[in-house]
Amino acid sequence: MTAAQGVLLRPITMGLLLQSLFLLLLLLLGSCLHPATAFPKGCYPSEEEGLKTFRCSNAQLTEVPRDIPNDTNKLYLDFNQIPFLPRDAFRDLPLLLELDLSHNAIARIETGAFQSLAEHLHSLDLSSNRLVSVSKDAFSNLKAKVNLSNNPWLCDCRLQELIRAVELVAESSGGIVCDSSTQEEHVGKAFLQVIADADLCNVYKKTTDIAMLVTMFGWFAMVISYLVYYVRQNQEDARRHLEYLKSLPSKQRRSEESSTISTVV
Ligand SMILES: *[C@@H]1O[C@H](CO)[C@@H](O)[C@H](O)[C@H]1NC(C)=O
Ligand SMILES: *[C@@H]1O[C@H](CO)[C@@H](O)[C@H](O)[C@H]1NC(C)=O
């Protein structure tokens, strides 16, 4: 290589260097900007049976991710560690039809968690979570069929109200089993069977009804026994009075007799 050739080549290598530097910069910029538009970690979109599906199954999520595409029809968040659903957890998903939250650690659902889904959601899977007690208000206006199986339910009036307020997924009702209950004998039983036999919201009313009945019966018994006592007492009095009256005329007669005798004498 001559000196002249070297002088000629230098600008070319410089140009190449600049070009590759520019490309590197673009790449760096790209990877910096990318996360803003990327999907949450462990999530990916797909098209299933013509429905826009977004899968975040088994993604070690500990909360409902943000940045879910707003045209999603089916959302899978199953097999994660989500412990809690806050108010409006699923806003900006106006086309959502199916929501799978099964196999998480959900123990608490805030009122209004599903409120923006109320009109359009078809199916909601909350099975295999840690639900013990949920207010029916958390599901207000929700038209979706709900799977509530395999949760450690506390069987009480609150659960009865919830079950009567939601539509259960067909054949999932047997999976709602009492883990604890206000009444010992319900533990381990299917909740629908329990409320077929007993109204858990009327237990209190029933006991007050019984108390009322007992009190009324007590009063009634007191009144009756007083009446009986009164009548007996009066009978005694009346009898004595009668005897007295019976004895009177004879005394009078006797006294009259004695007086006539005395006058005769
Ligand atoms: C999703 O969001 C974009 C941008 O905000 C908006 O233009 C679009 O209408 C939204 N789509 C739906 C289905 O709401
Ligand atoms: C409801 O959830 C239980 C427990 O995860 C599951 O076995 C069952 O198949 C579900 N039922 C329906 C109809 O999805």
Side-chain angles (χ1 to χ4, degrees), residues 20-186:
S20 49
L21 255 173
F22 183 69
L23 274 172
L24 205 79
L25 211 80
L26 263 181
L27 257 169
L28 268 172
L29 255 172
S31 61
C32 278
L33 287 173
H34 201 58
T37 52
F39 301 118
K41 199 166 157 271
C43 299
Y44 64 93
S46 66
E47 189 106 4
E48 293 175 16
E49 296 153 356
L51 292 175
K52 289 238 171 22
T53 304
F54 199 70
R55 288 188 179 270
C56 302
S57 308
N58 220 332
Q60 271 122 44
L61 298 174
T62 53
E63 59 179 12
V64 176
R66 315 235 155 256
D67 310 320
I68 295 166
N70 66 354
D71 57 352
T72 300
N73 301 130
K74 292 164 87 175
L75 177 57
Y76 290 87
L77 294 168
D78 51 329
F79 291 96
N80 283 293
Q81 287 105 45
I82 300 167
F84 162 62
L85 300 177
R87 192 183 156 78
D88 246 335
F90 304 96
R91 63 170 174 273
D92 302 328
L93 295 169
L95 304 177
L96 197 64
L97 302 173
E98 290 180 28
L99 175 56
D100 189 350
L101 287 161
S102 67
H103 299 94
N104 271 281
I106 301 165
R108 203 155 72 79
I109 302 175
E110 216 168 77
T111 301
F114 306 112
Q115 69 182 4
S116 45
L117 306 176
E119 291 304 317
H120 43 87
L121 198 70
H122 284 176
S123 107
L124 172 61
D125 197 344
L126 284 165
S127 65
S128 301
N129 273 286
R130 296 194 191 145
L131 296 170
V132 174
S133 187
V134 180
S135 164
K136 70 177 194 306
D137 300 337
F139 296 89
S140 58
N141 304 325
L142 202 66
K143 293 178 180 70
K145 293 186 172 157
V146 189
N147 191 347
L148 297 171
S149 305
N150 203 16
N151 278 283
W153 290 112
L154 162 65
C155 291
D156 62 354
C157 176
R158 206 174 188 219
L159 184 59
Q160 181 176 313
E161 284 177 349
L162 170 65
I163 297 300
R164 301 230 157 123
V166 299
E167 193 181 343
L168 295 173
V169 172
E171 281 149 43
S172 74
S173 60
I176 303 171
V177 176
C178 304
D179 189 65
S180 56
S181 173
T182 42
Q183 277 149 284
E184 192 66 38
E185 70 265 25
H186 296 158

Side-chain angles (χ1 to χ4, degrees), residues 250-262:
S250 60
K251 259 189 202 160
Q252 226 169 9
R253 224 177 297 136
R254 224 174 284 142
S255 60
E256 269 166 20
E257 270 168 16
S258 62
S259 66
T260 46
I261 289 167
S262 65

